[in-house]
Amino acid sequence: MSLVADHVRRLDANIDRISLVPLTLHEQELEDHGFDGQSAQPGISATDALSSPRVGELVRIAKSLSSNSTSKSTLSSLRIQSLLIQSGLTGEQPSFHELAGRSQYETEIEWLVVGKATVQTYGLLMNTFLDQIIPLSDDIWYWDDVLGSYWSSALYTVQTSPVRMWGWSWDIYAESLERFDRLRKLRKASSADEIDDAGIGPYGSDSEQEQNQDQDTGKDHAQAQDQSSNAGHRSPLRDSLSTQWRQFYSIVRASIAERTITDLRRRVVSRVGIGRAEARRKQHDLRKLRESAATGLGILMGEGLNFGTTEDGNSGHEGKRLLERSVALMDVILRQTRVLDIDVSEYEDKVFAGVDEDPELSMRAEDSLLESERPAVLARRILKILQDGLPGYTKNITRVARENGRPSRLVRFWLPAVVLLVSSSTILRVLSNRREDIINWIRDLGTTTRDFWFNWVVGPIRKIIRTIRHDSTSEIAIMSRDSLKADRDSLERMVVEFSTDRPDIAVGTSSITENQIAEIRAKVKEGDVTPVLKAYERDLRQPFVGAVKGDLVRSLLIQVQKTKVDLEVAISGIDALLKSQELVFGFVGLTPGILEVSVGLFQYLRNVLWSRQGLRRGQKSRRTTRVLRKIDKILSDATPSPGNVISYKDYGLLLSEVHVLRRLAHDVLPSEVEKEFIEDADELAELRGINSHMRALDRIRWAYAEWLGTKA
């Protein structure tokens, strides 16, 4: 909520408080509040007075003008005008008998409508002043930057050189055209001899022009005579056009020569000096305008609608007089703020003198006005302020700010635009020569992006989905599914056949039974090939004999098969481990693509959302620090009155900065802390002594340093 919104709501509550007659529509409600049900006029009951259509319409309009009727604190100017016109107070003045016959209830409700309209107009005017002061400060900072360095001044001079050239050319053209028209009118009115006898110059009858331009007149007249004597062979129309063109050309040259002499002082100064002088002049005008607007805002806030806290029997009468004085104050402020050639003290004197001498105040015209006529007079004046005063002020201030504010974007950026336009052919030529390379770069970028997406994002996701669904094509394996079983059966057959062929080595007897074979099979499945190892150990004693006549080679080959089976068992264990972690490996395969995409997307979202939010918060904290610095500077440079109260100009500047401070703090302070901040900001915005303002500013600095970015 802004500074103006809080102030308007407090004033609206004061308007309701000072009303003498309770706004009720039923006699029972009047009895509940202690009234006897009779109005001030005998024979008219309160119920009859308050139940009339006229009073009901006024009550509805009063509710519409209340600050609690809408989410916004102040209504628009058109809305206030519409409600005032609907109330009938701004129409034709009623007759004396109609005014005398009105009930006191109707008159009091009319005062209520006018009071609420005054409060809304007051808030609208405050918003207008604040909206004007803040941009003016920004433009003044711009001129500070221009005057801060030589290069900034030189850049501004180059940027505005076409504007100055156009203005100079237009002045020459307008002056030459005016002189030519005067000369043509004079020659049509009298002959050349009569002009010489009368002593009138070709550019007018002023003595100063005659002295300055007598030689040019003689030359023009002589040229006209020579042209008329030598033009016998030409047509009159062609001779007339040629003569007029030569006269106009000579007038243009004379105007340029005179303007050159007039601008001799400016020619002594450099072009950059001329630009700096222009910047200083515009900055001075903007400062005068800001001081006037700030003084008007300070007077309006300090003197307007200052109801106080009295609740005695005369509070209603004094409140009505205060409404009239406040409306007169707003009218005078709007008229005086348009003038820029007065200082602050003279501005204040004229404002207060204009209010004291205002002819429409009831204290000066109460003998000629009835009590029931005063609300209509005040309503018509409010309507006039809304229709003429406020739009005229806004138009005038906008014109002055536009003339003296920062140049338009066209003026500031025409130079880089021209450079870009001039170099556009070169840029297009470079792009045309590298067209194939650029197309290949774009195509390669698209292909790489597409392959990355399908190979490293879409492909791994599909594999994970197949793994979750136990798809046969998704199993991870480093050996075939039935390889171990076949090799193990082969080893079993080899050992059984060896034991059958050599039972003496396998079981120590000449024959082998089925039970012994089954036992050997079971041991082979567990990896025990003892019969083969016994034969291998026996033949190893005599390797050559065993290799030729014994079983050394056979046992060795069986052990090779055994080694192969052991290797496949180990590999099958690894294969089982891989199968158990198949989903993990799928996510690992997805990690590079998803990681890069996710990190990139996260960084982008963080930059868009969190980083920008943090950046905005940091920027607002820095702006808050600058606003606090400006408030401190305003209070330090303020010129106190004899009562150590801040001046109206400094008070207006202080209000504008407090208004900005509250808007910035709303975005950085928590809701529970913001309530306390508003109390301190309201104390800072009150018209008090400078020491009180400094204490409030120091409290804001150390109490909210955590959020405002200031050092406690």
Side-chain angles (χ1 to χ4, degrees):
M1 190 179 296
S2 65
L3 176 68
V4 178
D6 290 343
H7 194 60
V8 167
R9 283 185 169 86
R10 286 194 293 267
L11 293 177
D12 190 75
N14 285 330
I15 291 293
D16 295 333
R17 179 178 59 83
I18 65 173
S19 298
L20 291 178
V21 180
L23 299 179
T24 57
L25 299 177
H26 301 285
E27 188 173 355
Q28 182 63 37
E29 295 180 2
L30 291 174
E31 294 176 357
D32 294 340
H33 288 81
F35 290 89
D36 57 357
Q38 299 294 326
S39 66
Q41 289 180 315
I44 301 178
S45 65
T47 303
D48 295 337
L50 295 176
S51 60
S52 64
R54 166 68 177 168
V55 174
E57 180 68 13
L58 290 176
V59 171
R60 184 191 65 81
I61 294 174
K63 291 181 179 179
S64 300
L65 286 170
S66 177
S67 61
N68 297 323
S69 62
T70 178
S71 59
K72 297 182 179 180
S73 60
T74 57
L75 303 177
S76 64
S77 176
L78 294 178
R79 178 61 176 166
I80 301 173
Q81 295 178 38
S82 175
L83 292 174
L84 284 176
I85 294 174
Q86 292 178 19
S87 66
L89 296 174
T90 59
E92 296 181 358
Q93 183 176 354
S95 63
F96 177 80
H97 296 288
E98 292 178 355
L99 293 174
R102 286 183 179 177
S103 65
Q104 182 181 358
Y105 293 98
E106 182 177 349
T107 302
E108 292 298 332
I109 295 177
E110 288 179 352
W111 272 111
L112 180 63
V113 171
V114 172
K116 289 184 176 294
T118 303
V119 171
Q120 292 294 329
T121 306
Y122 178 84
L124 191 63
L125 188 56
M126 285 188 62
N127 279 327
T128 302
F129 277 122
L130 290 173
D131 293 339
Q132 293 291 342
I133 293 174
I134 297 172
L136 289 177
S137 300
D138 296 337
D139 290 340
I140 292 174
W141 292 343
Y142 172 79
W143 295 121
D144 286 336
D145 294 337
V146 171
L147 297 172
S149 65
Y150 179 84
W151 294 109
S152 298
S153 301
L155 178 61
Y156 169 74
T157 304
V158 174
Q159 289 174 343
T160 56
S161 57
V163 178
R164 284 193 295 271
M165 179 61 68
W166 171 258
W168 182 82
S169 302
W170 180 259
D171 292 340
I172 294 295
Y173 172 76
E175 184 179 355
S176 301
L177 189 62
E178 182 181 358
R179 288 184 174 185
F180 182 75
D181 290 339
R182 288 204 304 265
L183 178 61
R184 187 174 56 182
K185 290 178 181 179
L186 286 175
R187 290 190 174 182
K188 286 183 179 180
S190 61
S191 63
D193 295 335
E194 292 175 347
I195 293 175
D196 293 336
D197 294 338
I200 301 176
Y203 306 126
S205 59
D206 297 334
S207 59
E208 183 179 356
Q209 291 181 350
E210 180 182 356
Q211 294 175 1
N212 294 334
Q213 302 174 4
D214 183 60
Q215 295 180 356
D216 293 337
T217 304
K219 291 180 180 179
D220 294 341
H221 187 59
Q223 290 176 359
Q225 289 180 350
D226 293 339
Q227 292 166 2
S228 62
S229 62
N230 296 328
H233 61 281
R234 293 182 295 183
S235 63
L237 179 60
R238 184 176 180 182
D239 181 68
S240 176
L241 292 176
S242 177
T243 302
Q244 291 181 3
W245 172 250
R246 286 191 177 92
Q247 290 174 356
F248 181 75
Y249 182 68
S250 63
I251 289 174
V252 171
R253 288 193 303 175
S255 299
I256 293 175
E258 292 179 3
R259 181 58 63 91
T260 303
I261 296 174
T262 304
D263 296 341
L264 182 60
R265 183 182 62 83
R266 299 184 63 184
R267 294 179 63 186
V268 176
V269 185
S270 64
R271 297 294 180 183
V272 178
I274 294 174
R276 292 177 65 88
E278 182 180 353
R280 290 192 190 95
R281 177 184 59 80
K282 292 185 176 182
Q283 186 184 45
H284 177 266
D285 292 342
L286 289 178
R287 282 179 175 171
K288 293 289 292 184
L289 182 61
R290 186 183 65 169
E291 289 178 358
S292 299
T295 306
L297 177 62
I299 296 175
L300 191 65
M301 188 73 172
E303 301 293 336
L305 296 177
N306 190 4
F307 290 103
T309 58
T310 58
E311 297 186 3
D312 53 1
N314 295 325
S315 61
H317 183 68
E318 294 297 330
K320 296 171 185 177
R321 290 183 177 272
L322 182 59
L323 287 177
E324 294 174 331
R325 182 176 178 84
S326 299
V327 172
L329 181 65
M330 289 187 286
D331 191 9
V332 175
I333 287 176
L334 286 176
R335 284 188 277 107
Q336 293 296 330
T337 310
R338 304 181 189 181
V339 183
L340 299 180
D341 55 351
I342 59 175
D343 55 9
V344 175
S345 59
E346 185 179 357
Y347 174 85
E348 294 179 1
D349 295 338
K350 286 188 175 182
V351 168
F352 289 116
V355 174
D356 294 337
E357 298 173 0
D358 189 272
E360 295 187 10
L361 287 179
S362 62
M363 63 182 63
R364 295 184 180 273
E366 59 184 355
D367 295 336
S368 60
L369 289 178
L370 295 175
E371 180 68 22
S372 57
E373 188 180 359
R374 289 167 58 191
V377 174
L378 193 59
R380 285 192 290 269
R381 187 165 190 179
I382 294 174
L383 185 63
K384 183 179 179 182
I385 291 175
L386 294 174
Q387 290 179 344
D388 300 330
L390 190 57
Y393 164 78
T394 304
K395 182 179 180 181
N396 181 72
I397 296 300
T398 304
R399 178 184 58 81
V400 176
R402 184 174 61 251
E403 292 176 354
N404 298 283
R406 69 177 64 189
S408 63
R409 293 183 179 179
L410 178 62
V411 175
R412 284 180 288 160
F413 299 110
W414 71 266
L415 185 59
V418 169
V419 173
L420 181 62
L421 181 62
V422 171
S423 59
S424 60
S425 59
T426 304
I427 296 175
L428 291 176
R429 189 182 305 110
V430 171
L431 294 178
S432 178
N433 294 335
R434 304 298 298 272
R435 179 181 178 182
E436 296 297 332
D437 295 337
I438 294 174
I439 293 176
N440 291 332
W441 294 341
I442 296 175
R443 185 183 296 112
D444 293 342
L445 178 62
T447 303
T448 304
T449 304
R450 185 192 61 186
D451 293 342
F452 171 79
W453 176 256
F454 284 103
N455 295 334
W456 293 96
V457 178
V458 178
I461 291 177
R462 289 176 178 174
K463 292 180 181 179
I464 290 176
I465 294 175
R466 288 198 299 266
T467 301
I468 295 174
R469 294 178 177 178
H470 290 284
D471 191 354
S472 59
T473 60
S474 67
E475 294 183 358
I476 301 175
I478 56 178
M479 60 177 293
S480 58
R481 181 179 303 177
D482 299 330
S483 176
L484 177 60
K485 184 177 181 300
D487 290 338
R488 183 177 292 175
D489 292 342
S490 176
L491 177 62
E492 181 180 343
R493 288 192 300 271
M494 289 180 183
V495 175
V496 170
E497 290 177 357
F498 181 81
S499 299
T500 303
D501 294 340
R502 304 298 298 270
D504 55 334
I505 298 175
V507 295
T509 60
S510 59
S511 62
I512 186 170
T513 62
E514 292 295 332
N515 292 332
Q516 291 175 339
I517 292 175
E519 183 180 356
I520 291 173
R521 289 180 184 276
K523 290 182 178 181
V524 170
K525 290 180 179 179
E526 294 177 357
D528 186 4
V529 289
T530 302
V532 177
L533 293 177
K534 288 181 179 180
Y536 177 75
E537 292 172 358
R538 188 195 63 180
D539 293 338
L540 194 60
R541 296 173 185 173
Q542 296 178 351
F544 294 102
V545 176
V548 176
K549 296 182 179 181
D551 299 319
L552 181 60
V553 176
R554 186 179 181 184
S555 62
L556 185 61
L557 293 175
I558 293 175
Q559 291 186 60
V560 171
Q561 180 67 19
K562 172 66 170 55
T563 304
K564 181 181 178 182
V565 171
D566 291 340
L567 181 61
E568 289 183 353
V569 169
I571 293 176
S572 66
I574 298 174
D575 187 60
L577 179 63
L578 291 176
K579 288 182 178 180
S580 65
Q581 302 296 324
E582 186 175 0
L583 189 61
V584 175
F585 285 105
F587 280 106
V588 170
L590 183 63
T591 299
I594 293 297
L595 183 62
E596 293 184 13
V597 174
S598 300
V599 169
L601 184 61
F602 177 76
Q603 290 289 344
Y604 174 77
L605 293 177
R606 190 180 67 174
N607 292 333
V608 171
L609 300 177
W610 293 286
S611 295
R612 288 190 178 182
Q613 183 178 2
L615 180 61
R616 288 194 297 266
R617 186 178 295 272
Q619 290 176 348
K620 290 179 180 179
S621 298
R622 288 189 291 271
R623 287 189 60 189
T624 302
T625 304
R626 293 179 59 188
V627 171
L628 291 174
R629 178 256 176 195
K630 286 188 286 185
I631 293 176
D632 185 85
K633 190 175 187 304
I634 291 172
L635 296 176
S636 300
D637 298 340
T639 303
S641 62
N644 199 30
V645 180
I646 192 172
S647 64
Y648 287 118
K649 182 198 74 173
D650 297 325
Y651 184 48
L653 295 175
L654 176 64
L655 288 176
S656 64
E657 299 301 334
V658 172
H659 178 71
V660 176
L661 180 63
R662 287 190 55 168
R663 290 194 303 181
L664 293 175
H666 176 72
D667 298 328
V668 298
L669 292 179
S671 57
E672 64 275 6
V673 180
E674 186 179 2
K675 297 178 181 179
E676 301 175 357
F677 175 81
I678 290 176
E679 295 178 0
D680 296 332
D682 289 341
E683 182 178 347
L684 181 62
E686 293 179 359
L687 186 58
R688 296 184 175 184
I690 296 180
N691 295 331
S692 300
H693 289 296
M694 293 298 295
R695 287 194 297 269
L697 179 61
D698 292 338
R699 183 165 61 252
I700 289 176
R701 280 177 171 170
W702 64 260
Y704 311 102
E706 178 182 356
W707 300 278
L708 300 182
T710 59
K711 295 182 179 180

